[in-house]
C-alpha cells in the first residue's frame, strides 16, 4: 500500500519545473532521498525550478536533502531555484544551506617569509595607528578649544579628581622606585669609576643622567603602566556597558566629559612627578655615594651644584608634558576601541601599556637628538 504522506517530486516534462508534494520529513527519509535523486537527474539536462507550494510539511532533514541536491547540481554546472516557498520554508532552507567548500591548507612557508610578512603587517598597522592618533589628537584639541570658549562647561571637579589619581596617589610608588634606581646607578658607577680613582665623578654621572633622561623616562613608564592602563580600563568598561553611547544620546560630548580632564591631569601631573622622582633618585644616589664612596652629603651637594645647572633640570621638565600627551592619547584611543567582551578589554589594556612605553622611549630619543643638535 502506497504511503499517502510520502515525499514526491512530480516532473513536468519540457517545462523545467518540478513540483514537490507530501511530507519532506525525517519519518519519510527513503521517499525524500528518492525524490531528491529524481530532481538531481532531471536537473542534469537543463535548469530546474522547484515548486515548494505542494509540500505539506518540511523539517530539517528535508531542507538539508534539498540543499544537498542543489549543491551537487551547482557543482556539476547546473542550476536549481525555488518557487512558492512559504516564509518558514525559506528560513529553514537558508539555515540548512551548505557552506562553501573548505579551502585547501595553505602551503607551508619558511620562517624568514613568515617573519617578513608579520613585520609588514605590523608596519601597515603602525601607519594606521599613527593616522588614528593624529585624528584623535585633533578631536581633543577641538574639544579643548570648545571648553575654553565655554568655561562654565569645564568639569573642574573631574580634573581635580584625575590629578589626585594620577599625581598625588602615584607619588609613593614613583618616589620609592626612583630612589632605588638612583642608588643602583650610583653604586654601579662607583664600582666602575673607582678603578681609575675617579669615583667622585659619579655625581656628574647620576646628576646629568637623572635630570636629563632617567627621571622623566622612569616616571613616564610608570605612569603609562599605572594611569594609562587605568584610563583604558575605565573607558573600555564604559564602552562595554554602553555608557559612552548614553552620553551621546544625552547630547554630551564624550571627548569633553571623559578625555579632556584625563589628558589635562596627565599634562599637569607628570612634570610634578618627574621633579619629585628626580629628587628621590638624587637622594638615593647621594646615600649610595656616602655608603660606598665615602662622600659626605656636603661634598655630594657641592659637586652636584658644579656638575648640573638649571637648563639640565629644564630638559627633563620640557619632555614631561609631551610624554603625558602621548600616554593620554594612546590610553584613550585603546579604551574607545574596546568591544563588548572581557577578552577585548584585556587585549586593549595590554596594547595601551606596550604602545605607550614604546612611544615614550621613541619620543625621548627624538628629544635627545634635538637637544644635542641645538647644544642645550
Amino acid at each position: 500500500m502506497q504511503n499517502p504522506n510520502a515525499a514526491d517530486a512530480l516532473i513536468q516534462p519540457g517545462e523545467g519545473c518540478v513540483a514537490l508534494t507530501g511530507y519532506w520529513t525525517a519519518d519519510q527519509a527513503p521517499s525524500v532521498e528518492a525524490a531528491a535523486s529524481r530532481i538531481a537527474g532531471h536537473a542534469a539536462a537543463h535548469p530546474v525550478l522547484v515548486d515548494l507550494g505542494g509540500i505539506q510539511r518540511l523539517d530539517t532533514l528535508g531542507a538539508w536533502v534539498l540543499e544537498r541536491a542543489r549543491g551537487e547540481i551547482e557543482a556539476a554546472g547546473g542550476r536549481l531555484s525555488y518557487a512558492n516557498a512559504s516564509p518558514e520554508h525559506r528560513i529553514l532552507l537558508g539555515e540548512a544551506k551548505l557552506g562553501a567548500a573548505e579551502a585547501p591548507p595553505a602551503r607551508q612557508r619558511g620562517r624568514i617569509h613568515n617573519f617578513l610578512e608579520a613585520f609588514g603587517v605590523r608596519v601597515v598597522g603602525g601607519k594606521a595607528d599613527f593616522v588614528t592618533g593624529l585624528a584623535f589628537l585633533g578631536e581633543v584639541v577641538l574639544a579643548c578649544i570648545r571648553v575654553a570658549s565655554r568655561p562654565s562647561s569645564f568639569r573642574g571637579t573631574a580634573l581635580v579628581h584625575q590629578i589626585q589619581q594620577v599625581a598625588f596617589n602615584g607619588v609613593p610608588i614613583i618616589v620609592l622606585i626612583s630612589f632605588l634606581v638612583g642608588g643602583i646607578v650610583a653604586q654601579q658607577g662607583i664600582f666602575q669609576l673607582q678603578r681609575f680613582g675617579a669615583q667622585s665623578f659619579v655625581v656628574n654621572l647620576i646628576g646629568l643622567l637623572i635630570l636629563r633622561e632617567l627621571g622623566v623616562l622612569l616616571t613616564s613608564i610608570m605612569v603609562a603602566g599605572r594611569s594609562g592602563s587605568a584610563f583604558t580600563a575605565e573607558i573600555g568598561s564604559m564602552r562595554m556597558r554602553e555608557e559612552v553611547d548614553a552620553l551621546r544620546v544625552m547630547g554630551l560630548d564624550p571627548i569633553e566629559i571623559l578625555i579632556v580632564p584625563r589628558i589635562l591631569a596627565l599634562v599637569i601631573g607628570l612634570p610634578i612627578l618627574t621633579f619629585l622622582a628626580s629628587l628621590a633618585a638624587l637622594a638615593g644616589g647621594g646615600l649610595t655615594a656616602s655608603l660606598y664612596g665615602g662622600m659626605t652629603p656636603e661634598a655630594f651637594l657641592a659637586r652636584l651644584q658644579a656638575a648640573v645647572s638649571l637648563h639640565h633640570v629644564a630638559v627633563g621638565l620640557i619632555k614631561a608634558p609631551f610624554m603625558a600627551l602621548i600616554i593620554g592619547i594612546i590610553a584613550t584611543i585603546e579604551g574607545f576601541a574596546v568591544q563588548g567582551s572581557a577578552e577585548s578589554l584585556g587585549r586593549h589594556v595590554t596594547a595601551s601599556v606596550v604602545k605607550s612605553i614604546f612611544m615614550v622611549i621613541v619620543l625621548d630619543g627624538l628629544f635627545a637628538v634635538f637637544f644635542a643638535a641645538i647644544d642645550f
Side-chain angles (χ1 to χ4, degrees):
M1 181 177 179
Q2 187 177 3
N3 185 358
N5 297 329
D8 198 4
L10 304 177
I11 299 174
Q12 302 178 9
E15 300 181 10
C17 182
V18 178
L20 305 187
T21 60
Y23 284 42
W24 286 67
T25 54
D27 58 335
Q28 305 294 331
S31 60
V32 168
E33 290 285 355
S37 299
R38 288 197 298 274
I39 294 173
H42 182 64
H46 43 70
V48 169
L49 178 67
V50 176
D51 185 0
L52 303 178
I55 291 182
Q56 296 177 347
R57 186 177 296 173
L58 178 69
D59 68 359
T60 306
L61 180 133
W64 182 83
V65 171
L66 279 174
E67 282 297 306
R68 185 192 64 187
R70 184 186 61 80
E72 293 173 352
I73 292 169
E74 292 181 353
R79 186 165 59 88
L80 185 146
S81 56
Y82 300 115
N84 299 325
S86 66
E88 294 81 4
H89 291 170
R90 289 192 180 278
I91 293 173
L92 193 56
L93 289 169
E95 292 296 329
K97 187 175 182 180
L98 297 177
E102 295 185 2
R107 183 172 60 88
Q108 294 294 328
R109 297 169 176 172
R111 293 183 178 179
I112 296 178
H113 185 282
N114 292 336
F115 170 78
L116 293 176
E117 181 181 9
F119 180 76
V121 170
R122 291 182 182 275
V123 169
V124 174
K127 177 184 176 182
D129 290 342
F130 179 74
V131 173
T132 302
L134 285 180
F136 194 80
L137 176 61
E139 293 184 15
V140 172
V141 171
L142 290 176
C144 291
I145 294 174
R146 290 195 299 269
V147 170
S149 63
R150 294 181 282 105
S152 59
S153 65
F154 181 66
R155 298 172 60 85
T157 304
L159 175 62
V160 173
H161 173 72
Q162 292 300 331
I163 291 176
Q164 179 185 2
Q165 296 296 323
V166 172
F168 183 77
N169 293 346
V171 168
I173 184 64
I174 290 176
V175 167
L176 175 60
I177 293 178
S178 300
F179 180 85
L180 296 175
V181 170
I184 293 170
V185 171
Q187 180 197 41
Q188 294 301 314
I190 290 172
F191 286 166
Q192 298 301 319
L193 292 173
Q194 69 183 0
R195 300 178 183 179
F196 311 99
Q199 58 267 29
S200 61
F201 285 97
V202 73
V203 181
N204 303 61
L205 172 66
I206 62 174
L208 295 176
L209 181 62
I210 289 171
L211 292 177
R212 293 183 66 98
E213 302 292 340
L214 203 55
V216 65
L217 190 60
L218 271 177
T219 305
S220 299
I221 290 174
M222 286 186 283
V223 168
R226 182 181 176 275
S227 300
S229 61
F231 289 173
T232 304
E234 290 167 1
I235 297 174
S237 298
M238 295 181 70
R239 284 273 298 170
M240 293 171 62
R241 294 195 296 264
E242 299 182 352
E243 295 178 17
V244 176
D245 297 329
L247 288 174
R248 292 194 177 98
V249 170
M250 290 187 293
L252 301 175
D253 185 3
I255 303 295
E256 295 182 15
I257 302 297
L258 303 176
I259 309 306
V260 172
R262 286 175 166 82
I263 291 183
L264 288 179
L266 277 175
V267 172
I268 295 171
L270 191 55
I272 299 173
L273 291 175
T274 298
F275 181 73
L276 296 177
S278 299
L279 292 181
L282 291 175
L287 179 61
T288 304
S290 176
L291 295 176
Y292 287 89
M295 187 178 298
T296 63
E298 293 78 9
F300 179 85
L301 290 175
R303 185 86 184 185
L304 183 63
Q305 289 176 355
V308 302
S309 60
L310 186 60
H311 80 275
H312 294 118
V313 180
V315 167
L317 296 180
I318 289 172
K319 296 178 184 179
F322 294 94
M323 293 185 176
L325 186 61
I326 287 291
I327 294 170
I329 291 295
I330 293 175
T332 50
I333 286 176
E334 293 296 331
F336 276 113
V338 173
Q339 303 298 321
S341 67
E343 179 186 1
S344 175
L345 179 62
R347 185 170 61 251
H348 284 286
V349 169
T350 303
S352 170
V353 175
V354 172
K355 290 179 181 179
S356 297
I357 293 175
F358 174 77
M359 288 305 301
V360 160
I361 295 174
V362 170
L363 188 62
D364 184 72
L366 294 176
F367 268 114
V369 173
F370 172 72
F371 287 129
I374 64 175
D375 195 20
F376 185 70

